[in-house]
């Protein structure tokens, strides 16, 4: 009998290995939460050594990621990483706002469990497994314990581990099931009801935390769950008698969240079990009897089909199901390759239209082989999806900016995948952006996009030599129509766009020094013309990437209308990032080159440098011109230190060189500016966070704090 305890449950593998070495035959396995997963896989025929090998090979951080791997997302979704980092995400369904039911995604865990239990897919009852098995879950509506003894083994294991607030509960046979540890974390009574004469109970539950952990909402919430669990464990332990054996590996230093320490936890379980050899002797049998038992429990493996009879997608309209099936690498007539299938499912899951993507192998018509049935469930957040983010940066010397951004997205407006996206910014910059995106063509690899944006912001204006001249207000509006082509499967590599646009910009001085008032008068101009762009993005993370690249090339050509007349203009811009890692060490190279036909100083953000990692140690937007050049060499190391609500903590540094020039003549004689930063950073749910020491030989040395998106 194996208890729950999150990552601490890996110790069960060490105990199972010790039971095999002691020749202890097991007649039945009962498990809760992680104990159900380890116990269910063992009962289905996996050996402790196989379990250890498989679990050591898993990237648990990626397995529990809140979304699909970034490389599998379409470029449109990747670009949102640079628009906004959400503090809050919610949906709108049936007239009500809906919060996510789990903090992390369980999709990869479910696919892993289904892959490991494929050999048992046709067993109708868990008594037919090589070892009898039961999983314990909690009915989240009634609070009653639910003993799962039949049906879909993978779903039963997943339901038993639906940790509240972490994994969404799972519906099975009309019941909403959550983590079994809430009501029966050490299910002695279930083992007794199955006729167990002697129970070996392995308790790896998390003990209650001390007072020092109760100073936060997260600490108190975790303690509440631990209290509920510990109370029912104590009741279960009171049911044990001298026929039974209670094992409790010492895992005091480890928590339920320490999934990256799987090898250490398994080793601790093995080491502890080796110290109780004497206690296991009374359950031991002869070598011959144990060999006979092992032969009987050998899994009657049901091999995957040599060729799939069919591949069918359900849960969406027939037209869309046909389109989605056509995007799969897994096809009828080919053998099932579980890892290839999981890559297909990951691609489907990257589309946030679906709250759950699952599969089953089912008999074909008239028993003709087996086919693959992929089932899609609508996103429980509804078709309207909202994200709220904030940005904050300050140099701790009076210069600061703050923005709140609210993003709305309506997906799958039509069967072909039409989307409507909107974003509102409030704070230092006030703005609105709206876009209607519509895929076209049989393979949805082409699209058209109609967009409109408007914003207003206050900027500090600088003389090219450096001194501040005053404040100006800038307002801008843009309307465009684009036709594009996606690159790669489902647009996950990038896209190419061509289109037409109209821009209107206005600069109004607010407070300028006397000599600057005549140099920078109010200005108004309108631009219109053609635009083209190429973007590819294969970074594994938007913030602190470990590997991959991003490249953006842009060109515009048109006419500019001002109060003094009309002229031709053009714009060329190129920006790229390359990241490469060696273990915890990463080098990140970034470069920008751009030129534009003469525009007023500070007219557009793309042609200004200064600020954190854009010539650190200089003021934000201090250098502007018609020519821009920037190169940045960055290094960062991922730290072992854990930080609440953060993917990872880093220490790093950057060295930057570049400048902005008004024309070719000033480019030839202009000096190169430099900037440096040394920082501690964190990749959090609300975006990157930095506390940095910045320095520029021609600028200043000081501290800089940055949260969210620039």
């Amino acid at each position: 009998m194996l208890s729950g305890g999150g990552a601490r449950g890996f110790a069960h593998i060490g105990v199972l290995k010790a039971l095999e070495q002691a020749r202890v035959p097991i007649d039945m396995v009962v498990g809760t939460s992680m104990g159900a997963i380890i116990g269910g896989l063992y009962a289905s025929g996996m050996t402790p050594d196989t379990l250890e090998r498989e679990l050591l090979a898993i990237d648990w951080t990626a397995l529990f990621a809140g979304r699909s791997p970034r490389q599998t997302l379409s470029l449109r979704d990747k670009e949102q990483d640079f628009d906004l980092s959400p503090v809050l995400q919610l949906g709108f369904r049936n007239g009500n706002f809906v919060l996510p039911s789990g903090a992390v995604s369980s999709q990869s865990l479910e696919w892993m469990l289904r892959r490991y239990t494929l050999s048992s897919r046709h067993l109708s009852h868990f008594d037919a497994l090589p070892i009898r098995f039961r999983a314990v879950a909690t009915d989240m509506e009634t609070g009653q314990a639910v003993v799962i003894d039949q049906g879909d083994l993978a779903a039963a294991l997943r339901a038993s581990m639906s940790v509240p607030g972490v994994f969404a509960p799972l519906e099975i046979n009309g019941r909403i099931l959550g983590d079994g540890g809430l009501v029966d974390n050490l299910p002695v009574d279930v083992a007794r009801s199955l006729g167990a004469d002697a129970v070996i109970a392995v308790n790896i539950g998390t003990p209650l935390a001390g007072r020092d952990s109760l100073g936060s909402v997260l600490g108190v919430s975790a303690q509440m769950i631990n209290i509920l669990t510990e109370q029912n464990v104590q009741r279960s332990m009171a049911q044990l008698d001298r026929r039974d054996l209670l094992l409790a590996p010492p895992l005091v230093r480890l928590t339920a969240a320490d999934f990256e320490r799987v090898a250490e936890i398994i080793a601790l379980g093995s080491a502890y079990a080796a110290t109780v050899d004497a206690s296991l002797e009374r359950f031991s049998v002869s070598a011959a009897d144990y060999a006979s038992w092992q032969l009987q429990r050998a899994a009657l493996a049901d091999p995957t089909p040599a060729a799939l009879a069919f591949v069918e997608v359900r849960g969406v309209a027939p037209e869309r199901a046909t389109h989605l099936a056509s995007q799969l690498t897994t096809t009828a007539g080919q053998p099932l390759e579980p890892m290839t299938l999981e890559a297909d499912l990951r691609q489907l899951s990257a589309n946030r239209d679906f709250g759950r993507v699952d599969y089953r192998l089912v008999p074909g018509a008239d028993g003709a082989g087996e086919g693959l049935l992929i089932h899609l469930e609508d996103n429980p957040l509804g078709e309207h999806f909202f994200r709220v983010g904030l940005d904050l940066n300050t140099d701790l010397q009076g210069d600061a900016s703050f923005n709140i951004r609210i993003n709305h997205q309506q997906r799958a407006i039509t069967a072909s995948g039409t989307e409507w996206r909107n974003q509102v910014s409030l704070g230092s910059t006030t703005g609105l952006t709206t876009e209607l995106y519509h895929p076209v063509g049989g393979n949805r690899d082409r699209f058209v996009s109609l967009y409109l944006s408007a914003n207003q912001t206050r900027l500090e204006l600088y003389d090219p030599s450096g001194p501040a001249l005053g404040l100006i207000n800038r307002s801008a509006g843009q309307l465009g129509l684009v036709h594009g082509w996606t690159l790669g499967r489902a647009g996950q590599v990038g896209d190419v766009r061509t289109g037409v646009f109209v821009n209107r910009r206005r600069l109004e001085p607010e407070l300028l020094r006397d000599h600057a008032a005549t140099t920078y008068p109010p200005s108004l101009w309108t631009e219109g013309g053609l635009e083209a762009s190429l973007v590819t993005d294969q970074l594994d993370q938007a913030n602190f990437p470990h590997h991959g690249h991003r490249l953006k090339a842009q060109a515009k050509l048109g006419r500019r209308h001002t109060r003094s007349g009309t002229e031709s203009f053009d714009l060329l811009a190129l920006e790229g990032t390359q990241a490469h890692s060696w273990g915890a060490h990463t080098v990140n190279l970034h470069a920008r080159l751009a030129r534009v036909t003469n525009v007023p100083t500070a007219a557009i953000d793309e042609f200004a440098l200064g600020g954190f990692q854009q010539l650190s140690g200089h003021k934000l937007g201090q250098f502007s011109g018609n020519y821009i050049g920037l190169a940045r060499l960055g290094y960062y190391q991922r730290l072992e230190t854990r930080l609440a609500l953060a993917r990872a903590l880093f220490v790093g540094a950057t060295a930057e060189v570049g400048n902005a020039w008004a024309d070719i003549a000033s480019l030839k004689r202009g000096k190169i500016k430099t900037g440096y930063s040394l920082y501690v950073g964190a990749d959090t749910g609300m975006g990157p966070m930095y506390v940095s020491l910045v320095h520029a030989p021609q600028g200043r040395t000081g501290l800089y704090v940055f949260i969210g998106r620039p």
Side-chain angles (χ1 to χ4, degrees), residues 16-41:
L16 290 174
K17 291 171 68 176
L19 293 177
E20 285 203 342
Q21 293 171 359
R23 300 196 305 273
V24 177
I26 306 298
D27 297 313
M28 65 190 72
V29 178
V30 180
T32 296
S33 195
M34 181 58 85
I37 289 179
I38 300 298
L41 297 179

Side-chain angles (χ1 to χ4, degrees), residues 500-503 526-530 557-561 567 569:
V500 295
F501 71 94
V502 177
N503 292 338
T526 302
E527 298 172 343
L530 305 176
L557 177 66
R559 301 285 291 176
R560 178 181 295 135
H561 306 276
E567 62 180 355
F569 85 96

Side-chain angles (χ1 to χ4, degrees), residues 194-523:
L194 293 175
D197 295 322
V199 173
I200 299 177
V202 187
N203 180 29
I204 48 82
T206 305
L208 298 182
R211 176 177 296 186
D212 57 347
S213 69
L214 304 180
S216 67
V217 173
L218 291 177
V220 172
S221 299
Q223 185 78 329
M224 289 172 61
I225 295 175
N226 290 341
I227 289 172
L228 290 173
T229 303
E230 187 62 22
Q231 287 178 345
N232 71 64
V233 166
Q234 292 300 321
R235 290 194 298 270
S236 295
M237 290 172 60
Q239 300 175 32
L240 298 173
D241 56 38
R242 61 184 181 180
R243 297 172 300 169
D244 308 318
L245 177 63
L246 175 64
L247 302 179
L251 305 171
V252 177
R253 296 179 295 106
L254 299 159
T255 72
D258 283 329
F259 283 92
E260 74 281 2
R261 302 174 72 175
V262 53
E264 179 183 353
I265 298 173
I266 292 175
L268 286 172
S270 298
Y272 167 76
T275 67
V276 295
D277 280 346
S279 299
L280 295 176
E281 286 182 0
R282 58 191 173 101
F283 302 106
S284 181
V285 297
S286 67
D289 288 342
Y290 192 73
S292 176
W293 173 82
Q294 284 187 311
L295 185 63
Q296 292 176 359
R297 80 171 287 270
L300 301 175
D302 196 349
T304 57
L308 292 169
F310 61 88
V311 175
E312 183 179 347
V313 176
R314 291 184 184 175
V316 295
E319 179 186 350
R320 193 172 188 206
T322 301
H323 166 61
L324 293 174
S326 69
Q327 294 182 323
L328 303 177
T329 304
T330 303
T331 58
Q334 299 295 322
L336 177 69
E337 296 290 344
M339 300 306 293
T340 300
L341 173 58
E342 287 182 27
D344 284 331
L345 300 178
R346 197 169 290 112
Q347 188 62 58
L348 290 174
S349 183
N351 184 332
R352 282 182 294 193
D353 294 350
F354 310 122
R356 188 161 179 255
V357 179
D358 199 6
Y359 75 94
R360 297 288 300 273
L361 288 178
V362 297
D366 301 322
E370 286 184 282
L372 174 65
L373 179 61
I374 297 176
H375 183 70
L376 308 176
E377 294 182 6
D378 288 339
N379 193 323
L381 295 179
E383 62 180 8
H384 294 275
F385 187 66
F386 294 86
R387 303 189 307 160
V388 180
L390 60 84
D391 313 318
L392 169 67
N393 66 80
T394 176
D395 62 2
L396 302 180
Q397 291 189 345
D399 284 349
S401 66
F402 175 80
N403 286 290
I404 295 177
R405 305 189 190 190
I406 303 172
N407 179 283
H408 162 261
Q409 182 175 357
Q410 183 180 5
R411 304 188 70 144
I413 298 175
T414 66
S416 60
T418 303
E419 299 178 3
W420 183 33
R421 295 187 179 185
N422 303 280
Q423 183 161 301
V424 176
S425 299
L426 303 171
S428 301
T429 297
T430 301
L432 169 66
T433 300
T434 185
E435 179 199 21
L436 190 65
Y437 173 94
H438 178 69
V440 295
N443 294 323
R444 314 299 197 269
D445 55 1
R446 294 188 295 117
F447 61 89
V448 292
S449 170
L450 176 66
Y451 64 89
L452 173 67
S453 67
N455 64 75
Q456 182 173 343
T457 188
R458 177 185 293 174
L459 299 172
E460 193 163 8
L461 184 64
Y462 295 90
D463 184 89
S465 62
L469 299 176
L471 298 175
I472 59 172
N473 287 313
R474 184 186 68 200
S475 57
Q478 184 171 15
L479 173 67
L481 178 64
V482 167
H483 177 250
W485 298 262
T486 60
L487 302 176
R489 183 181 180 187
Q492 62 185 236
V493 173
D495 68 30
V496 176
R497 300 179 174 222
T498 60
V500 295
F501 71 94
V502 177
N503 292 338
R504 187 174 178 83
R505 302 179 190 270
R506 179 190 297 271
L507 295 179
E508 290 283 354
E510 179 177 331
L511 180 64
L512 294 178
R513 293 182 177 179
D514 293 340
H515 71 279
T518 56
T519 307
Y520 301 99
S523 57

